Amino acid sequence: MNILVIGSGGREHAVIKKLAQSAGVERIFALPGNGGIAADATCVNIGATDIDAIVEFARGEKIDYAVVTPDDPLALGAVDRLTALGIPCFGPTAAAAQIEASKVFSKNLMKKYGIPTAAFEVFDDAEKALAYLEDAPIPTVIKADGLALGKGVIIAQTRDEARDAVRSMMEDKIFGASGSRVVIEEFLEGPEVSVLAFTDGDCVKPMVSSMDHKRALDGDEGLNTGGMGTIAPNPYYTEAVAAECMETIFLPTIRAMKAEGRPFKGCLYFGLMITKNGPKVIEYNCRFGDPETQVVLPLLESDLLTVMQATTNGTLAETEVKFSDGAACCVVLASSGYPGKYEKGFEMTLPETGAGEYLFVAGAKLDGDRLLTSGGRVIGAVATAPDLPAAVAHAYEVAGKVHFGNAYCRKDIGKRALAALK
Ligand code: AMP
Ligand code: GLY
């Protein structure tokens, strides 16, 4: 089979490496991929949001199955367009991708179907939002309605910060049209858990749980990033919590999307907070998380292509989705300065990887046969091991073998999870 994977990050590299193990896979094309992904797939220089060019390419290359990983092409209807051509896809339609693309849509969905989440109000008028803030509980959380590269959430510790957030989103439009509407919501507390789940619109099969580390610096200091590292499984996601999430969140969400005429197929990402009043939804993503995927897929024992096809065909209930009992850790090697300004173009050589070791390339380009850094997040250094302490230690060993100019990583990925294990 000829497979198309849309996207260019470490997540896509992890998906491609796993798909390459599937017996039926002959060729994998990455659109656009990156300099590191080029070792495992044929990279074609078509941007992930250039839907017309993607469709044209898929038609010309006789693509048998397409995997659409990033949020933008999903929201733009890449799956709808490819499916209309007769190319089966992994991923939701544009209508179902609204669960991530519009916070207002997802919050109203949860309210309508009684799915636990932070209490909230929606505003499309800055004056009304500012008036509401006069006696809203502080801290409070302000979210731009639309996609904002993961940056559209501001946790305001004071009333002044909250007002500034509303003004910058709604009046100064720092997130463009995404901030024309905002959600102001209750500040929740508790450990966070990421759960990615395969679903065919009826059946939902959660993957192994994980924990992201979103802040740039050790001790959860510094700016929010796309994610500086992950571990799996997440020790806060106990069997009891998992059972409660299935009952109160996962199944109700899948049923709600179906009832709304937007059945969700593909990978649904549940960003959860385990509060003292039970698990609540912080956010949904309509896709695999990055860098959660880099720890989850190496632990998947079932054939990824088979499972993906089952989500498309509606046969997930009969399809085994099995994960190993082990653990995994991903340490992101980033360009110093990320998520702000950083230098790039530094040469790197990737060391050989042994059993249970992976180097997923997030931001690199080829210059002849030299591999140069080209992004904020550059490499995900991943290791799997029988338990979490070993996985964390091993991932740092793998990370220690990768060198490039301006590299930095957090030194405490997994620290909180290891403390929770005790
Ligand atoms: P999001 O982009 O929606 O994932 O939000 C980014 C981060 O902001 C989350 O991972 C949480 O750490 C935090 N966050 C979002 N909503 C809330 C909330 N209601 N209460 C506390 N923290 C939140
Ligand atoms: N790691 C969080 C995300 O993919 O949005």
Side-chain angles (χ1 to χ4, degrees):
M1 286 178 74
N2 287 336
I3 313 281
L4 177 63
V5 176
I6 296 170
S8 62
R11 163 184 61 194
E12 283 74 16
H13 200 184
V15 167
I16 285 167
K17 275 211 190 269
K18 195 76 193 179
L19 283 174
Q21 297 171 1
S22 290
V25 173
E26 286 154 53
R27 293 196 74 180
I28 304 179
F29 295 94
L31 273 56
N34 68 41
I37 290 176
D40 297 287
T42 305
C43 295
V44 181
N45 194 14
I46 293 176
T49 54
D50 190 348
I51 311 296
D52 289 336
I54 290 169
V55 166
E56 210 42 53
F57 176 84
R59 198 200 315 258
E61 287 294 334
K62 305 214 167 24
I63 295 298
D64 299 297
Y65 194 72
V67 178
V68 187
T69 356
D71 48 358
D72 293 317
L74 289 166
L76 289 170
V79 166
D80 310 61
R81 295 275 304 277
L82 290 165
T83 306
L85 262 189
I87 298 173
C89 294
F90 181 78
T93 59
Q98 282 298 301
I99 199 165
E100 171 170 5
S102 169
K103 300 256 188 231
V104 174
F105 172 84
S106 68
K107 294 297 291 192
N108 284 333
L109 184 88
M110 289 187 268
K111 191 176 191 176
K112 180 169 171 188
Y113 292 90
I115 297 164
T117 188
F120 71 100
E121 298 285 339
V122 177
F123 298 94
D124 52 19
D125 179 288
E127 287 310 314
K128 289 198 179 125
L130 291 168
Y132 170 81
L133 285 176
E134 286 310 305
D135 40 33
I138 297 292
T140 189
V141 182
I142 314 210
K143 300 187 172 182
D145 177 37
L147 297 173
L149 293 172
K151 293 178 193 145
V153 174
I154 294 177
I155 307 207
Q157 300 293 346
T158 66
R159 220 168 284 283
D160 277 337
E161 271 178 50
R163 291 187 192 107
D164 286 347
V166 162
R167 289 201 186 97
S168 58
M169 284 186 199
M170 301 189 82
E171 290 172 356
D172 307 339
K173 303 266 189 243
I174 56 167
F175 303 121
S178 288
S180 308
R181 276 201 296 184
V182 302
V183 173
I184 300 184
E185 72 177 30
E186 173 195 10
F187 174 75
L188 297 176
E189 282 175 284
E192 288 185 55
V193 179
S194 304
V195 179
L196 319 185
F198 291 109
T199 172
D200 62 5
D202 285 303
C203 171
V204 55
K205 295 203 171 173
M207 304 179 214
V208 62
S209 62
S210 54
M211 182 191 287
D212 196 2
H213 297 68
K214 283 204 166 90
R215 300 295 201 94
L217 306 175
D218 285 7
D220 292 325
E221 304 277 342
L223 294 172
N224 255 321
T225 70
M228 292 300 297
T230 39
I231 57 94
N234 186 320
Y236 292 102
Y237 192 70
T238 60
E239 270 180 41
V241 171
E244 190 176 353
C245 288
M246 181 55 91
E247 192 73 19
T248 64
I249 295 174
F250 304 158
L251 284 170
T253 302
I254 298 305
R255 290 184 190 132
M257 290 298 280
K258 191 175 178 189
E260 293 293 309
R262 302 168 191 254
F264 189 102
K265 293 176 176 225
C267 171
L268 185 53
Y269 168 127
F270 298 88
L272 306 169
M273 197 170 267
I274 314 303
T275 75
K276 60 180 193 304
N277 299 317
K280 297 196 180 187
V281 177
I282 288 284
E283 64 160 348
Y284 294 111
N285 291 328
C286 64
R287 51 171 175 85
F288 281 110
D290 189 341
E292 284 88 345
T293 306
Q294 288 88 316
V295 287
V296 168
L297 288 186
L299 296 173
L300 177 66
E301 290 180 344
S302 308
D303 181 84
L304 179 59
L305 181 61
T306 304
V307 176
M308 285 182 158
Q309 288 175 310
T311 69
T312 315
N313 301 336
T315 52
L316 189 61
E318 302 99 79
T319 305
E320 186 185 54
V321 180
K322 190 170 182 299
F323 284 85
S324 94
D325 297 330
C329 175
C330 171
V331 175
V332 170
L333 296 159
S335 300
S336 183
Y338 171 76
K341 272 206 185 134
Y342 52 83
E343 281 182 73
K344 53 194 180 184
F346 296 102
E347 186 166 358
M348 66 181 153
T349 42
L350 297 182
E352 288 294 311
T353 45
E357 300 179 347
Y358 305 84
L359 290 170
F360 296 126
V361 179
K365 65 173 187 189
L366 282 171
D367 175 22
D369 52 11
R370 296 192 316 149
L371 192 60
L372 307 179
T373 65
S374 71
R377 291 188 291 180
V378 178
I379 300 285
V382 175
T384 58
D387 59 35
L388 195 55
V392 172
H394 193 167
Y396 273 104
E397 260 174 53
V398 177
K401 290 189 247 173
V402 180
H403 304 285
F404 56 86
N406 218 23
Y408 98 98
C409 68
R410 275 181 62 164
K411 301 283 184 260
D412 64 346
I413 303 302
K415 191 173 171 190
R416 179 176 298 184
L418 292 176
L421 278 182
K422 288 189 187 130

